[in-house]
Amino acid sequence: MALPSTLNRYLLLMAQEHLEFRLPEIKSLLSLFGGQFISSQETYGKSPFWILSIPSEDIARNLMKRTVCAKSIFELWGHGKSPEELYSSLKKYPVEKMVPFLHSDSTYKIKIHTFNKTLTQEEKVKRIDALEFLPFEGKVNLKKPQHVFSVLEDYGLDPNRIPENPHNIYFGRWIADGQRELIESYSVKKRHFIGNTSMDAGLSFIMANHGKVKENDIVFDPFVGTGGLLVASAHFGAYVYGTDIDYNTVHGLGKASRKNQKWRGPDENIRANLRQYGLEKYYLDVLVSDASKPSWRKGTYFDAIITDPPYGIRESTRRTGSQKEIPKGIEKCPESHVPVSLSYHLSDMFFDLLNFAAETLVLGGRLVYWLPVYTPEYTDEMVPWHPCLKLISNCEQKLSSHTSRRLITMEKNRDQYSHLLSDQSLPYQGHNSFREKYFSGVTKRIAKEEKPSQE
Ligand SMILES: C[S@@+](CC[C@H](N)C(=O)[O-])C[C@H]1O[C@@H](n2cnc3c(N)ncnc32)[C@H](O)[C@@H]1O
């Protein structure tokens, strides 16, 4: 694809984790900061090296203030499939673009980064010496250089077949690092209040990025649990609000999820989690409420709905009962009896969630949620849809040999829809048996593992 000449080329060094989530994250963030995803590369499959074109360095810096999928970004000065190709590409890079970073008053350092191969110090020095033809006039400063340049060599993805020579070599000026350190600093291991299903920190930030959460947004999680997703959104400056059907979770009561601790302590709750990270000012509130019966007046309140609904594996999928919904088969109940809770079928839950999002999101607002699937039967048609919500991305995370969950991101692109509803909008019923299918696989595996000892 021919690139517009006003765009500069950048090299993104991606983390080799959650591969499918990377492209939607980068695309979402670029669209948030006014950039468009333009790239000359055909695929982004599994490689950690992505070349993309961005109109300004500011957009590149903003991107790196948010991404947890990318490690670093470089202004790309040259690229080749061999050292010779790299050098000739570097010779074509406009000198006027290099000079501001190479002049005699500046200090610099050159780093060598290899993927899937380790070089000796001697080999690294050779690579640096070979760049002598570049007009470096500043002084080398290894400790605190003003400018850092990198040679990045790509030896492919197969650790069992490492080639003698790299497939690709890049040279660029380092601009910024991403936010990988958030994964450690917000780790649930060190979190004040956690539960059995607290969302992993890295995935929570990815979800907030897919949701294009930004400063002063209002973000809602209708299945809030211990608020893992609120924490990530608040970190990006959004005001957060959540509901959960479970009184104990919302009030931070009941049994603790940590080993060596029987009961939750007096201040184990979502507000305290936000306080732990200096984010308490972004806490709006959390309420006990059933997502199947939203108690909101008509209106568009949320910039994003980011949530992890229950799958019925480690937490039950329940909803409150009501007089209208007394299930068949309990005719013996006195007329006044209202069941405390009913089971909440997964397909109804997703249907309700999409309807709720279509009604309460602002135009352009995003819904990001996890959909559990039984992989042998999964097809893209099973993903719930809604006439007002456009599917943005659908990324798989494997849970077991036969189950996975898919991170679905949708964007509200239309307000009025009742005339567009058809039979097709009815929920796909197959999600309902996820629990049975999940456990059927687990039971089979346990039976298999136990077999040798029984013989
Ligand atoms: C997978 S957990 C969410 C975990 C959360 N993301 C966290 O980081 O702790 C799902 C939550 O949904 C809640 N839940 C189940 N049925 C519900 C309903 N009908 N309405 C609201 N919340 C419900 C459960 O109590 C549970 O806390």
Side-chain angles (χ1 to χ4, degrees):
M1 178 173 39
L3 298 174
S5 57
T6 49
L7 298 174
N8 288 325
R9 291 201 314 160
Y10 291 83
L11 179 73
L12 264 182
L13 176 61
M14 303 301 296
Q16 289 304 94
E17 194 190 16
H18 301 312
L19 300 192
E20 277 200 22
F21 300 73
R22 305 184 304 177
L23 189 56
E25 195 214 44
I26 299 300
K27 281 186 174 179
S28 300
L29 292 176
L30 280 177
S31 76
L32 184 60
F33 297 119
Q36 213 192 337
F37 186 83
I38 298 180
S39 164
S40 48
Q41 252 167 308
E42 287 303 316
T43 64
Y44 286 85
K46 295 178 177 163
S47 171
F49 299 101
W50 295 9
I51 297 176
L52 66 147
S53 299
I54 308 178
S56 76
E57 190 170 316
D58 278 350
I59 294 182
R61 286 186 189 280
N62 283 335
L63 171 68
M64 299 317 279
K65 281 184 197 151
R66 289 289 300 259
T67 174
V68 283
C69 290
K71 288 180 170 176
S72 309
I73 196 162
F74 306 85
E75 182 182 59
L76 189 61
W77 287 16
H79 166 218
K81 298 218 169 280
S82 64
E84 295 68 36
E85 260 187 48
L86 171 71
Y87 305 148
S88 78
S89 142
L90 278 171
K91 284 172 190 161
K92 283 183 210 141
Y93 192 72
V95 180
E96 63 278 13
K97 284 192 174 180
M98 293 186 184
V99 169
F101 308 99
L102 306 181
H103 60 79
S104 55
D105 295 336
S106 64
T107 57
Y108 74 96
K109 172 183 178 175
I110 301 177
K111 280 169 117 179
I112 310 292
H113 179 98
T114 51
F115 183 78
N116 200 22
K117 187 168 194 161
T118 312
L119 298 182
T120 63
Q121 193 54 28
E122 202 184 335
E123 288 169 321
K124 287 184 183 177
V125 171
K126 260 193 190 165
R127 270 124 169 118
I128 295 172
D129 288 347
L131 294 167
E132 253 180 13
F133 65 91
L134 288 174
F136 285 110
E137 289 182 1
K139 283 198 185 76
V140 172
N141 180 335
L142 298 182
K143 281 203 176 135
K144 244 183 147 189
Q146 283 171 323
H147 308 298
V148 179
F149 301 93
S150 288
V151 176
L152 300 106
E153 297 190 346
D154 177 10
Y155 289 85
L157 296 167
D158 188 349
N160 300 315
R161 286 176 47 202
I162 302 172
E164 182 62 26
N165 298 309
H167 298 314
N168 282 292
I169 318 174
Y170 308 88
F171 181 88
R173 178 174 65 87
W174 173 82
I175 290 181
D177 288 334
Q179 302 299 314
R180 301 281 301 162
E181 87 279 354
L182 293 180
I183 298 170
E184 189 50 38
S185 57
Y186 279 77
S187 163
V188 287
K189 285 188 200 143
K190 296 180 265 175
R191 180 132 345 136
H192 192 68
F193 171 48
I194 55 160
N196 293 340
T197 55
S198 290
M199 182 57 68
D200 162 85
L203 289 172
S204 305
F205 286 111
I206 289 176
M207 289 175 79
N209 282 338
H210 283 206
K212 291 173 69 174
V213 169
K214 59 183 186 310
E215 269 180 32
N216 299 323
D217 273 359
I218 295 190
V219 174
F220 178 54
D221 181 351
F223 302 95
V224 72
T226 57
L229 301 174
L230 300 192
V231 167
S233 291
H235 175 83
F236 293 135
Y239 291 88
V240 293
Y241 181 77
T243 56
D244 199 289
I245 201 169
D246 190 83
Y247 180 93
N248 278 352
T249 306
V250 170
H251 291 273
L253 301 172
K255 284 203 169 153
S257 296
R258 284 207 164 81
K259 280 185 199 158
N260 316 325
Q261 187 186 334
K262 200 152 185 218
W263 303 102
R264 284 179 175 142
D267 197 28
E268 281 191 46
N269 53 48
I270 294 175
R271 185 192 274 272
N273 273 355
L274 288 162
R275 192 181 308 128
Q276 178 182 357
Y277 304 108
L279 302 171
E280 196 177 352
K281 73 167 182 170
Y282 296 111
Y283 178 84
L284 292 177
D285 209 348
V286 289
L287 285 188
V288 180
S289 171
D290 176 358
S292 75
K293 298 181 177 59
S295 49
W296 297 85
R297 257 183 265 143
K298 256 196 173 327
T300 49
Y301 305 108
F302 309 121
D303 298 289
I305 295 173
I306 302 199
T307 195
D308 179 23
Y311 323 142
I313 306 299
R314 278 188 268 177
E315 75 292 74
S316 65
T317 52
R318 306 295 293 168
R319 63 197 172 101
T320 48
S322 81
Q323 207 123 31
K324 288 185 215 142
E325 302 168 294
I326 296 175
K328 285 175 207 150
I330 32 178
E331 288 91 2
K332 278 183 199 151
C333 290
E335 234 168 69
S336 57
H337 175 81
V338 177
V340 176
S341 74
L342 302 170
S343 63
Y344 193 10
H345 296 302
L346 287 189
S347 32
D348 294 335
M349 185 161 49
F350 296 120
F351 185 70
D352 291 346
L353 179 64
L354 265 64
N355 274 331
F356 178 75
E359 274 167 20
T360 57
L361 278 174
V362 299
L363 265 183
R366 286 194 170 185
L367 165 68
V368 183
Y369 73 97
W370 290 99
L371 177 73
V373 298
Y374 180 62
T375 30
E377 287 172 7
Y378 172 78
T379 63
D380 286 345
E381 287 70 47
M382 292 173 187
V383 177
W385 74 279
H386 190 284
C388 296
L389 302 171
K390 177 179 153 204
L391 182 69
I392 301 290
S393 56
N394 170 355
C395 315
E396 183 186 27
Q397 185 194 23
K398 286 212 176 312
L399 296 176
S400 71
S401 58
H402 60 290
T403 57
S404 61
R405 58 179 179 177
R406 306 193 74 97
L407 185 62
I408 309 292
T409 301
M410 306 184 97
E411 189 170 288
K412 179 165 166 181
N413 61 355
R414 193 183 274 143
D415 254 330
Q416 301 297 324
Y417 65 89
S418 45
H419 63 289
L420 296 164
L421 283 173
S422 69
D423 282 355
Q424 276 177 290
S425 327
L426 291 172
Y428 163 73
Q429 300 292 324
H431 299 300
N432 292 340
S433 43
F434 178 73
R435 188 174 195 280
E436 290 69 44
K437 287 168 185 164
Y438 180 93
F439 282 115
S440 82
V442 172
T443 323
K444 273 186 212 149
R445 200 184 67 226
I446 293 169
K448 218 168 154 189
E449 283 164 6
E450 282 177 353
K451 222 174 179 186
S453 60
Q454 289 163 355
E455 284 165 357

